[in-house]
Amino acid sequence: QVQLVESGGGSVQADGSLRLSCAVFGYIYSSYCMGWFRQAPGKEREGVAAIDSDGSTSYADSVKGRFTISQDNAKLTLYLQMNSLKPEDTAMYYCAASFFPRCIRAGRVVSLTTSDFGYWGQGTQVTVSS
């Protein structure tokens, strides 16, 4: 069983920064994917960024150049550094985990599809004001 606990959300003004953290508890197989997803009110949950056990990453076009996903394997922690935040980044942010091959798409691309991830945290709120 895998448990994920997010932290680091909050309120910030536009162009500000936040860093989200996700602590991982439980057994993680050697070939895995970890990702950040978000859901704004009235919208579907969407993939933001993902990373696999080899360090390959994927980003949604809307956050490329502004967000950076990283992991600390020793601390079993996933991070999302969010810079140049915009009001449209306001959402509940969720940490998620999955294992190969479910989370790897054609061309060895790390998936950003919610249905490819089976373990989820409770979420942390990010609010960006203009």
PDB file of all heavy atoms in Angstrom, residues 4-31:
ATOM      1  N   LEU A   4       0.328   8.856   0.179  1.00  0.00           N
ATOM      2  CA  LEU A   4       0.948  10.099  -0.274  1.00  0.00           C
ATOM      3  C   LEU A   4       0.375  11.259   0.525  1.00  0.00           C
ATOM      4  O   LEU A   4      -0.848  11.371   0.662  1.00  0.00           O
ATOM      5  CB  LEU A   4       0.670  10.302  -1.768  1.00  0.00           C
ATOM      6  CG  LEU A   4       1.045   9.121  -2.681  1.00  0.00           C
ATOM      7  CD1 LEU A   4       0.523   9.369  -4.092  1.00  0.00           C
ATOM      8  CD2 LEU A   4       2.545   8.910  -2.697  1.00  0.00           C
ATOM      9  N   VAL A   5       1.243  12.117   1.030  1.00  0.00           N
ATOM     10  CA  VAL A   5       0.805  13.251   1.832  1.00  0.00           C
ATOM     11  C   VAL A   5       1.423  14.525   1.267  1.00  0.00           C
ATOM     12  O   VAL A   5       2.647  14.696   1.315  1.00  0.00           O
ATOM     13  CB  VAL A   5       1.190  13.073   3.311  1.00  0.00           C
ATOM     14  CG1 VAL A   5       0.723  14.283   4.116  1.00  0.00           C
ATOM     15  CG2 VAL A   5       0.599  11.786   3.873  1.00  0.00           C
ATOM     16  N   GLU A   6       0.566  15.424   0.766  1.00  0.00           N
ATOM     17  CA  GLU A   6       1.035  16.677   0.177  1.00  0.00           C
ATOM     18  C   GLU A   6       1.124  17.778   1.237  1.00  0.00           C
ATOM     19  O   GLU A   6       0.394  17.754   2.230  1.00  0.00           O
ATOM     20  CB  GLU A   6       0.088  17.164  -0.926  1.00  0.00           C
ATOM     21  CG  GLU A   6      -0.157  16.183  -2.041  1.00  0.00           C
ATOM     22  CD  GLU A   6      -1.420  15.381  -1.860  1.00  0.00           C
ATOM     23  OE1 GLU A   6      -1.849  15.194  -0.692  1.00  0.00           O
ATOM     24  OE2 GLU A   6      -1.993  14.938  -2.878  1.00  0.00           O
ATOM     25  N   SER A   7       1.990  18.744   0.959  1.00  0.00           N
ATOM     26  CA  SER A   7       2.090  19.935   1.797  1.00  0.00           C
ATOM     27  C   SER A   7       2.672  21.063   0.961  1.00  0.00           C
ATOM     28  O   SER A   7       3.180  20.823  -0.143  1.00  0.00           O
ATOM     29  CB  SER A   7       2.968  19.674   3.030  1.00  0.00           C
ATOM     30  OG  SER A   7       4.279  19.335   2.641  1.00  0.00           O
ATOM     31  N   GLY A   8       2.583  22.284   1.488  1.00  0.00           N
ATOM     32  CA  GLY A   8       3.222  23.406   0.819  1.00  0.00           C
ATOM     33  C   GLY A   8       2.287  24.329   0.065  1.00  0.00           C
ATOM     34  O   GLY A   8       2.729  25.350  -0.478  1.00  0.00           O
ATOM     35  N   GLY A   9       1.014  24.001   0.007  1.00  0.00           N
ATOM     36  CA  GLY A   9       0.087  24.884  -0.681  1.00  0.00           C
ATOM     37  C   GLY A   9      -0.138  26.160   0.108  1.00  0.00           C
ATOM     38  O   GLY A   9       0.321  26.308   1.246  1.00  0.00           O
ATOM     39  N   GLY A  10      -0.835  27.098  -0.501  1.00  0.00           N
ATOM     40  CA  GLY A  10      -1.116  28.352   0.170  1.00  0.00           C
ATOM     41  C   GLY A  10      -1.602  29.392  -0.804  1.00  0.00           C
ATOM     42  O   GLY A  10      -1.966  29.081  -1.940  1.00  0.00           O
ATOM     43  N   SER A  11      -1.626  30.632  -0.337  1.00  0.00           N
ATOM     44  CA  SER A  11      -2.068  31.752  -1.159  1.00  0.00           C
ATOM     45  C   SER A  11      -0.881  32.618  -1.519  1.00  0.00           C
ATOM     46  O   SER A  11      -0.035  32.903  -0.662  1.00  0.00           O
ATOM     47  CB  SER A  11      -3.111  32.575  -0.400  1.00  0.00           C
ATOM     48  OG  SER A  11      -4.266  31.800  -0.131  1.00  0.00           O
ATOM     49  N   VAL A  12      -0.837  33.042  -2.749  1.00  0.00           N
ATOM     50  CA  VAL A  12       0.275  33.855  -3.238  1.00  0.00           C
ATOM     51  C   VAL A  12      -0.238  34.803  -4.319  1.00  0.00           C
ATOM     52  O   VAL A  12      -1.248  34.517  -4.981  1.00  0.00           O
ATOM     53  CB  VAL A  12       1.399  32.939  -3.779  1.00  0.00           C
ATOM     54  CG1 VAL A  12       0.929  32.172  -5.005  1.00  0.00           C
ATOM     55  CG2 VAL A  12       2.659  33.716  -4.060  1.00  0.00           C
ATOM     56  N   GLN A  13       0.456  35.900  -4.494  1.00  0.00           N
ATOM     57  CA  GLN A  13       0.085  36.827  -5.550  1.00  0.00           C
ATOM     58  C   GLN A  13       0.686  36.377  -6.882  1.00  0.00           C
ATOM     59  O   GLN A  13       1.663  35.618  -6.923  1.00  0.00           O
ATOM     60  CB  GLN A  13       0.560  38.237  -5.209  1.00  0.00           C
ATOM     61  CG  GLN A  13      -0.223  38.873  -4.066  1.00  0.00           C
ATOM     62  CD  GLN A  13       0.065  40.344  -3.917  1.00  0.00           C
ATOM     63  OE1 GLN A  13       1.181  40.794  -4.185  1.00  0.00           O
ATOM     64  NE2 GLN A  13      -0.921  41.112  -3.487  1.00  0.00           N
ATOM     65  N   ALA A  14       0.094  36.861  -7.951  1.00  0.00           N
ATOM     66  CA  ALA A  14       0.593  36.530  -9.285  1.00  0.00           C
ATOM     67  C   ALA A  14       2.079  36.873  -9.390  1.00  0.00           C
ATOM     68  O   ALA A  14       2.547  37.844  -8.797  1.00  0.00           O
ATOM     69  CB  ALA A  14      -0.206  37.287 -10.338  1.00  0.00           C
ATOM     70  N   ASP A  15       2.793  36.034 -10.125  1.00  0.00           N
ATOM     71  CA  ASP A  15       4.244  36.107 -10.314  1.00  0.00           C
ATOM     72  C   ASP A  15       5.035  35.595  -9.117  1.00  0.00           C
ATOM     73  O   ASP A  15       6.269  35.584  -9.147  1.00  0.00           O
ATOM     74  CB  ASP A  15       4.712  37.526 -10.639  1.00  0.00           C
ATOM     75  CG  ASP A  15       4.214  38.013 -11.991  1.00  0.00           C
ATOM     76  OD1 ASP A  15       4.097  37.169 -12.906  1.00  0.00           O
ATOM     77  OD2 ASP A  15       3.934  39.209 -12.129  1.00  0.00           O
ATOM     78  N   GLY A  16       4.310  35.159  -8.078  1.00  0.00           N
ATOM     79  CA  GLY A  16       4.986  34.601  -6.920  1.00  0.00           C
ATOM     80  C   GLY A  16       5.358  33.148  -7.134  1.00  0.00           C
ATOM     81  O   GLY A  16       5.151  32.568  -8.207  1.00  0.00           O
ATOM     82  N   SER A  17       5.921  32.533  -6.078  1.00  0.00           N
ATOM     83  CA  SER A  17       6.391  31.151  -6.145  1.00  0.00           C
ATOM     84  C   SER A  17       5.896  30.351  -4.949  1.00  0.00           C
ATOM     85  O   SER A  17       5.663  30.898  -3.870  1.00  0.00           O
ATOM     86  CB  SER A  17       7.923  31.112  -6.164  1.00  0.00           C
ATOM     87  OG  SER A  17       8.438  31.749  -7.297  1.00  0.00           O
ATOM     88  N   LEU A  18       5.764  29.065  -5.161  1.00  0.00           N
ATOM     89  CA  LEU A  18       5.448  28.121  -4.104  1.00  0.00           C
ATOM     90  C   LEU A  18       6.165  26.810  -4.418  1.00  0.00           C
ATOM     91  O   LEU A  18       6.406  26.498  -5.588  1.00  0.00           O
ATOM     92  CB  LEU A  18       3.943  27.837  -4.010  1.00  0.00           C
ATOM     93  CG  LEU A  18       3.037  28.855  -3.336  1.00  0.00           C
ATOM     94  CD1 LEU A  18       1.578  28.448  -3.498  1.00  0.00           C
ATOM     95  CD2 LEU A  18       3.391  29.014  -1.863  1.00  0.00           C
ATOM     96  N   ARG A  19       6.474  26.045  -3.367  1.00  0.00           N
ATOM     97  CA  ARG A  19       7.013  24.714  -3.568  1.00  0.00           C
ATOM     98  C   ARG A  19       6.137  23.708  -2.850  1.00  0.00           C
ATOM     99  O   ARG A  19       5.954  23.790  -1.625  1.00  0.00           O
ATOM    100  CB  ARG A  19       8.451  24.586  -3.070  1.00  0.00           C
ATOM    101  CG  ARG A  19       9.075  23.250  -3.479  1.00  0.00           C
ATOM    102  CD  ARG A  19      10.519  23.113  -3.107  1.00  0.00           C
ATOM    103  NE  ARG A  19      10.719  22.726  -1.717  1.00  0.00           N
ATOM    104  CZ  ARG A  19      11.796  22.095  -1.261  1.00  0.00           C
ATOM    105  NH1 ARG A  19      12.772  21.777  -2.105  1.00  0.00           N
ATOM    106  NH2 ARG A  19      11.905  21.799   0.018  1.00  0.00           N
ATOM    107  N   LEU A  20       5.606  22.774  -3.603  1.00  0.00           N
ATOM    108  CA  LEU A  20       4.803  21.703  -3.037  1.00  0.00           C
ATOM    109  C   LEU A  20       5.689  20.495  -2.748  1.00  0.00           C
ATOM    110  O   LEU A  20       6.647  20.228  -3.479  1.00  0.00           O
ATOM    111  CB  LEU A  20       3.691  21.288  -3.997  1.00  0.00           C
ATOM    112  CG  LEU A  20       2.752  22.398  -4.482  1.00  0.00           C
ATOM    113  CD1 LEU A  20       1.667  21.792  -5.370  1.00  0.00           C
ATOM    114  CD2 LEU A  20       2.147  23.153  -3.335  1.00  0.00           C
ATOM    115  N   SER A  21       5.335  19.783  -1.687  1.00  0.00           N
ATOM    116  CA  SER A  21       6.048  18.556  -1.333  1.00  0.00           C
ATOM    117  C   SER A  21       5.049  17.413  -1.207  1.00  0.00           C
ATOM    118  O   SER A  21       3.892  17.628  -0.841  1.00  0.00           O
ATOM    119  CB  SER A  21       6.789  18.717  -0.003  1.00  0.00           C
ATOM    120  OG  SER A  21       7.758  19.732  -0.086  1.00  0.00           O
ATOM    121  N   CYS A  22       5.528  16.213  -1.486  1.00  0.00           N
ATOM    122  CA  CYS A  22       4.693  15.024  -1.338  1.00  0.00           C
ATOM    123  C   CYS A  22       5.545  13.939  -0.688  1.00  0.00           C
ATOM    124  O   CYS A  22       6.509  13.452  -1.292  1.00  0.00           O
ATOM    125  CB  CYS A  22       4.185  14.561  -2.696  1.00  0.00           C
ATOM    126  SG  CYS A  22       3.306  12.977  -2.662  1.00  0.00           S
ATOM    127  N   ALA A  23       5.183  13.590   0.536  1.00  0.00           N
ATOM    128  CA  ALA A  23       5.889  12.526   1.250  1.00  0.00           C
ATOM    129  C   ALA A  23       5.262  11.181   0.894  1.00  0.00           C
ATOM    130  O   ALA A  23       4.033  11.049   0.862  1.00  0.00           O
ATOM    131  CB  ALA A  23       5.815  12.766   2.752  1.00  0.00           C
ATOM    132  N   VAL A  24       6.122  10.207   0.630  1.00  0.00           N
ATOM    133  CA  VAL A  24       5.672   8.885   0.222  1.00  0.00           C
ATOM    134  C   VAL A  24       5.863   7.896   1.364  1.00  0.00           C
ATOM    135  O   VAL A  24       6.963   7.791   1.918  1.00  0.00           O
ATOM    136  CB  VAL A  24       6.447   8.403  -1.017  1.00  0.00           C
ATOM    137  CG1 VAL A  24       5.954   7.026  -1.451  1.00  0.00           C
ATOM    138  CG2 VAL A  24       6.327   9.403  -2.151  1.00  0.00           C
ATOM    139  N   PHE A  25       4.806   7.179   1.690  1.00  0.00           N
ATOM    140  CA  PHE A  25       4.865   6.157   2.723  1.00  0.00           C
ATOM    141  C   PHE A  25       4.442   4.829   2.122  1.00  0.00           C
ATOM    142  O   PHE A  25       3.511   4.759   1.331  1.00  0.00           O
ATOM    143  CB  PHE A  25       3.935   6.507   3.894  1.00  0.00           C
ATOM    144  CG  PHE A  25       4.261   7.814   4.544  1.00  0.00           C
ATOM    145  CD1 PHE A  25       3.652   8.987   4.123  1.00  0.00           C
ATOM    146  CD2 PHE A  25       5.198   7.876   5.563  1.00  0.00           C
ATOM    147  CE1 PHE A  25       3.960  10.205   4.719  1.00  0.00           C
ATOM    148  CE2 PHE A  25       5.509   9.086   6.165  1.00  0.00           C
ATOM    149  CZ  PHE A  25       4.893  10.253   5.744  1.00  0.00           C
ATOM    150  N   GLY A  26       5.160   3.765   2.531  1.00  0.00           N
ATOM    151  CA  GLY A  26       4.821   2.460   1.999  1.00  0.00           C
ATOM    152  C   GLY A  26       5.857   1.983   1.009  1.00  0.00           C
ATOM    153  O   GLY A  26       6.894   2.615   0.799  1.00  0.00           O
ATOM    154  N   TYR A  27       5.557   0.872   0.357  1.00  0.00           N
ATOM    155  CA  TYR A  27       6.527   0.256  -0.534  1.00  0.00           C
ATOM    156  C   TYR A  27       6.409   0.800  -1.951  1.00  0.00           C
ATOM    157  O   TYR A  27       5.329   0.835  -2.527  1.00  0.00           O
ATOM    158  CB  TYR A  27       6.336  -1.260  -0.543  1.00  0.00           C
ATOM    159  CG  TYR A  27       7.343  -1.960  -1.396  1.00  0.00           C
ATOM    160  CD1 TYR A  27       8.660  -2.098  -0.975  1.00  0.00           C
ATOM    161  CD2 TYR A  27       6.994  -2.474  -2.644  1.00  0.00           C
ATOM    162  CE1 TYR A  27       9.604  -2.744  -1.756  1.00  0.00           C
ATOM    163  CE2 TYR A  27       7.929  -3.113  -3.427  1.00  0.00           C
ATOM    164  CZ  TYR A  27       9.226  -3.246  -2.980  1.00  0.00           C
ATOM    165  OH  TYR A  27      10.147  -3.874  -3.761  1.00  0.00           O
ATOM    166  N   ILE A  28       7.525   1.229  -2.496  1.00  0.00           N
ATOM    167  CA  ILE A  28       7.577   1.700  -3.873  1.00  0.00           C
ATOM    168  C   ILE A  28       8.470   0.747  -4.675  1.00  0.00           C
ATOM    169  O   ILE A  28       9.625   0.542  -4.313  1.00  0.00           O
ATOM    170  CB  ILE A  28       8.138   3.128  -3.959  1.00  0.00           C
ATOM    171  CG1 ILE A  28       7.162   4.119  -3.338  1.00  0.00           C
ATOM    172  CG2 ILE A  28       8.434   3.507  -5.393  1.00  0.00           C
ATOM    173  CD1 ILE A  28       5.940   4.389  -4.176  1.00  0.00           C
ATOM    174  N   TYR A  29       7.937   0.171  -5.714  1.00  0.00           N
ATOM    175  CA  TYR A  29       8.737  -0.670  -6.565  1.00  0.00           C
ATOM    176  C   TYR A  29       9.817   0.154  -7.262  1.00  0.00           C
ATOM    177  O   TYR A  29       9.721   1.368  -7.340  1.00  0.00           O
ATOM    178  CB  TYR A  29       7.868  -1.364  -7.614  1.00  0.00           C
ATOM    179  CG  TYR A  29       6.884  -2.336  -7.019  1.00  0.00           C
ATOM    180  CD1 TYR A  29       5.553  -2.001  -6.869  1.00  0.00           C
ATOM    181  CD2 TYR A  29       7.286  -3.600  -6.599  1.00  0.00           C
ATOM    182  CE1 TYR A  29       4.639  -2.878  -6.325  1.00  0.00           C
ATOM    183  CE2 TYR A  29       6.390  -4.488  -6.051  1.00  0.00           C
ATOM    184  CZ  TYR A  29       5.066  -4.126  -5.913  1.00  0.00           C
ATOM    185  OH  TYR A  29       4.176  -4.999  -5.370  1.00  0.00           O
ATOM    186  N   SER A  30      10.807  -0.503  -7.793  1.00  0.00           N
ATOM    187  CA  SER A  30      11.945   0.211  -8.374  1.00  0.00           C
ATOM    188  C   SER A  30      11.581   0.973  -9.635  1.00  0.00           C
ATOM    189  O   SER A  30      12.218   1.968  -9.965  1.00  0.00           O
ATOM    190  CB  SER A  30      13.081  -0.770  -8.668  1.00  0.00           C
ATOM    191  OG  SER A  30      12.640  -1.772  -9.564  1.00  0.00           O
ATOM    192  N   SER A  31      10.565   0.552 -10.352  1.00  0.00           N
ATOM    193  CA  SER A  31      10.166   1.237 -11.590  1.00  0.00           C
ATOM    194  C   SER A  31       8.810   1.899 -11.373  1.00  0.00           C
ATOM    195  O   SER A  31       7.772   1.245 -11.396  1.00  0.00           O
ATOM    196  CB  SER A  31      10.084   0.227 -12.744  1.00  0.00           C
ATOM    197  OG  SER A  31      11.345  -0.347 -12.987  1.00  0.00           O
TER     198      SER A  31
END
